[in-house]
């Protein structure tokens, strides 16, 4: 499990959402979902429990 690191600061949440809408690869969808949850303030531990 990763620690809370404040990464993805320069990633736009709307760009993540747009990519998620068009993505078809299951692994990429999971990664994008994780990135969105992280940008919304969820900790890595919370994301791990959710997914």
């Amino acid at each position: 499990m990763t620690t809370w690191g404040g990464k993805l600061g320069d990633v736009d949440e709307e760009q993540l959402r747009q990519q998620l809408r068009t993505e078809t690869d299951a692994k990429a969808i999971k990664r994008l979902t994780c990135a969105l949850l992280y940008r919304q303030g969820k900790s890595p531990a919370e994301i791990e429990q959710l997914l």
Side-chain angles (χ1 to χ4, degrees), residues 35-49:
L36 272 171
L37 291 169
Y38 189 80
R39 287 285 293 147
Q40 293 171 355
K42 300 282 186 204
S43 72
E46 290 173 312
I47 294 169
E48 184 178 32
Q49 286 179 345

Side-chain angles (χ1 to χ4, degrees), residues 2 20 24 33:
T2 9
L20 187 57
T24 58
T33 302

